[in-house]
Amino acid sequence: MLAGRRQLPLWLKLAFSLWILFWAPTYVVLIGAQNFFWLCDLANFLLLVGLWTESRRLLSMQLLSVLLVGVLWAVDVGTALVTGVHPIGGTEYMFDPGHPPVTRALSLFHLILPIVAVFAVSRLGYDRPAIFWQTALTWLVIPLSYVFTDPERNINWVQGPFGQPQDSLDPLVYLVGLMLLWPLVIYLPVHLLLIGLQHWRVRHRQ
């Protein structure tokens, strides 16, 4: 960021701050602080810091974290809403009356975070090393989720894919596989897309 020059609008920073001030305490009261171990939930806090500091790296990391996940989440919820079938899985809680309606409504942040991250990175530019930093963060959060969260919550799918427990593999073998696959399946496609867009912009500016 250029010294003394803001590239992200103040209204966005203030609006996102108000969102965090409402969302975070509500989640703690209704479903507990363990939920913040979810990488997509953690992205809320990291995006907030990234917006105020205008950190290309931090914002790029969270774009990797939320873009593809947000699209898949929207596809799964939208398809289930229309057909009653979850083609991917993991969003069944959105239709579970056992979950508080307020938390289900707040979970729509999965649609908002990609928009915020895309806007911020489009202003500041994509930081290519972000994929390595986000991978390192993921490799920290996934084991912590396994150790410090209730197994039945299956946070970050550490107990099984698509929200369902698995017993085909040894738990630690599965966990290592999850840590390896997450960056390859979730982050790498977005990283390659963003690099491609960077090259496209450079060619069309010449």
Side-chain angles (χ1 to χ4, degrees):
M1 181 178 67
L2 296 176
R5 179 181 175 185
R6 288 198 301 261
Q7 294 178 271
L8 299 177
L10 181 60
W11 66 263
L12 177 61
K13 300 174 183 178
L14 292 174
F16 204 81
S17 299
L18 290 174
W19 154 251
I20 296 294
L21 288 173
F22 176 70
W23 167 78
T26 303
Y27 260 35
V28 170
V29 170
L30 294 180
I31 56 179
Q34 282 190 22
N35 220 66
F36 295 143
F37 275 94
W38 280 104
L39 286 161
C40 51
D41 284 21
L42 182 60
N44 278 279
F45 298 109
L46 296 179
L47 271 175
L48 178 66
V49 175
L51 288 174
W52 280 104
T53 59
E54 300 199 0
S55 167
R56 289 178 64 223
R57 177 153 298 169
L58 196 53
L59 291 167
S60 297
M61 287 169 59
Q62 298 322 298
L63 180 55
L64 293 173
S65 179
V66 302
L67 184 57
L68 185 55
V69 169
V71 170
L72 296 175
W73 189 93
V75 168
D76 200 61
V77 170
T79 303
L81 188 64
V82 174
T83 68
V85 176
H86 291 269
I88 301 169
T91 67
E92 289 82 0
Y93 70 94
M94 288 294 290
F95 303 90
D96 181 359
H99 282 74
V102 173
T103 59
R104 283 185 279 159
L106 290 178
S107 194
L108 293 172
F109 76 77
H110 289 87
L111 305 178
I112 304 300
L113 295 192
I115 297 174
V116 174
V118 166
F119 175 80
V121 171
S122 69
R123 285 287 190 93
L124 300 177
Y126 176 61
D127 181 61
R128 294 189 181 190
I131 189 170
F132 302 111
W133 289 95
Q134 183 61 24
T135 296
L137 177 63
T138 301
W139 286 355
L140 173 65
V141 172
I142 286 181
L144 290 177
S145 301
Y146 184 80
V147 173
F148 292 111
T149 65
D150 298 331
E152 60 270 17
R153 301 189 72 165
N154 198 7
I155 289 177
N156 290 316
W157 294 352
V158 294
Q159 303 297 331
F162 309 107
Q164 302 299 318
Q166 68 86 33
D167 55 11
S168 300
L169 298 173
D170 178 86
L172 294 182
V173 172
Y174 168 78
L175 198 68
V176 171
L178 179 68
M179 292 172 63
L180 294 175
L181 284 175
W182 201 291
L184 291 174
V185 175
I186 301 298
Y187 304 152
L188 185 58
V190 179
H191 174 73
L192 295 176
L193 172 64
L194 294 171
I195 289 178
L197 288 174
Q198 282 184 332
H199 288 315
W200 181 84
R201 286 182 177 179
V202 169
R203 287 198 303 268
H204 281 76
R205 284 176 182 172
Q206 293 175 350

